[in-house]
Amino acid sequence: LGVTSALPGPGSTQMSMLIGRRRAGWPGLVVGGVCFIAPAFCIVLGLAWLYAHHGRGTVATGILFGVKPVVIAVVAQALWGLSKVAVPDVPAGVLAAGSLGAYFAGVDVLVILAAAGLLLTLVRNIPRRGAPSGALGLTPLPLGPLALSATHIGRVRSGQVFLEFLKLGAVVFGSGYVLLAFLHRDLVTGLGWLGNTRLLDAVAVGQLTPGPVFTTATFIGYLVAGVPGAVLATVGIFLPSFFMVAAAAPLIGRLRRSSWTAGVLDGVNAAAIGLMAGVGVDLARTAFTGPVAVILAVAAAVALLRYRVNSAWVVLAGAAAGVLHALA
């Protein structure tokens, strides 16, 4: 868990890689990661095909209508749970609030994360007037791939899809839900591949299926470039994790033992909370199409936060409610 919390990429998938490595060495790392990703890929790819070819049917429309507001509640639940860990003190809270404001001001997501990591480690360590503790000093793991942020994609081709999601897999730091902020920045406001509605549909499908949230890439890849796009988007977004886990596993203890690098990681986590809140607001504007959608979101939030119902059941209930609403 310590390794996955300190690396960009999908934490649950990286956990499966580390368990595989522990059980069966380097081949186990590969098998663990691939076998964790493959079922979700197949399911999401099938749902993407159904969405593209039959997504305007009454039942499909109803499912998406019911699931989308529930997804907002799921994101809110994740935000609430993660904030208890990622925002433990006033400086982290200020950074989270500042990151939220910067998100709505249009500041680049990577700039927000980098600035938050640098500021928090300075606030925590400058008063000590000591040199960076630990042999690694300020090794900015989550900030290393910043050069990749310059990648720009024009027309949607399979190779371009691969490069875009390869970049995302290397730089998305924090919960899988932070991926939404990057997707919104790159694919909606930047490249124009998707609108808010289709992005939210992709997230909804990701919630309907088991496996890592990052398989949202499979759905989007299919929408913009067919089956080759789905395959390459999936490979692209997960590939960096295999290399990062292999490289960082022996070093991660030293990162957390250093007060300077620990401050960078904690600052990035605090900023991720602000970004999650910002993209949640953006998606809520799309999901809340009327009073029924708002009621579904409130009911889902109560079930998740008050009664701690498993999110899978809540999502299924939202889908059923959406179908009933569509058929009424």
Side-chain angles (χ1 to χ4, degrees):
L1 183 62
V3 172
T4 60
S5 68
L7 291 175
S12 59
T13 309
Q14 292 168 348
M15 181 75 77
S16 71
M17 296 173 189
L18 286 163
I19 293 171
R21 179 178 180 272
R22 182 125 186 176
R23 182 69 180 87
W26 297 112
L29 183 151
V30 175
V31 172
V34 169
C35 289
F36 189 78
I37 296 165
F41 165 77
C42 294
I43 294 169
V44 172
L45 180 60
L47 291 175
W49 181 87
L50 288 172
Y51 175 87
H53 294 86
H54 304 285
R56 295 184 179 180
T58 302
V59 173
T61 302
I63 290 173
L64 291 172
F65 173 84
V67 169
K68 285 190 282 191
V70 173
V71 166
I72 302 303
V74 172
V75 172
Q77 180 199 31
L79 184 64
W80 175 256
L82 291 170
S83 64
K84 296 177 182 178
V85 177
V87 189
D89 51 31
V90 172
V94 171
L95 281 177
S99 298
L100 175 62
Y103 172 82
F104 284 117
V107 179
D108 187 274
V109 174
L110 288 172
V111 172
I112 295 172
L113 292 173
L118 179 62
L119 285 172
L120 190 59
T121 197
L122 290 175
V123 167
R124 287 184 177 177
N125 290 284
I126 288 296
R128 301 178 184 180
R129 298 184 181 183
S133 61
L136 291 178
L138 271 171
T139 304
L141 262 184
L143 314 183
L146 281 177
L148 293 174
S149 65
T151 302
H152 181 74
I153 299 174
R155 293 178 297 172
V156 184
R157 295 177 179 175
S158 297
Q160 296 167 333
V161 171
F162 173 76
L163 290 175
E164 174 64 20
F165 282 96
L166 182 70
K167 179 191 71 173
L168 292 174
V171 300
V172 175
F173 189 88
S175 162
Y177 294 104
V178 181
L179 174 65
L180 305 183
F182 285 83
L183 291 173
H184 189 271
R185 180 203 66 177
D186 282 10
L187 306 187
V188 178
T189 61
L191 300 171
W193 290 1
L194 300 170
N196 274 333
T197 299
R198 281 207 160 187
L199 175 59
L200 189 53
D201 288 345
V203 177
V205 169
Q207 288 295 326
L208 279 170
T209 57
V213 176
F214 274 54
T215 49
T216 300
T218 305
F219 189 91
I220 295 173
Y222 182 85
L223 292 186
V224 300
V227 174
V231 173
L232 290 173
T234 306
V235 172
I237 202 166
F238 286 106
L239 187 61
S241 288
F242 285 90
F243 291 98
M244 286 189 288
V245 168
L251 304 175
I252 207 69
R254 296 169 66 189
L255 281 174
R256 269 295 171 188
R257 283 195 297 271
S258 165
S259 62
W260 286 83
T261 53
V264 172
L265 297 174
D266 290 342
V268 171
N269 282 331
I273 295 299
L275 294 176
M276 284 176 63
V279 76
V281 171
D282 276 343
L283 294 179
R285 293 169 179 167
T286 302
F288 296 162
T289 55
V292 174
V294 174
I295 291 170
L296 285 174
V298 172
V302 172
L304 292 166
L305 296 172
R306 175 66 177 85
Y307 297 102
R308 301 187 183 279
V309 179
N310 187 288
S311 60
W313 294 114
V314 178
V315 170
L316 290 174
V323 171
L324 292 174
H325 178 264
L327 296 174

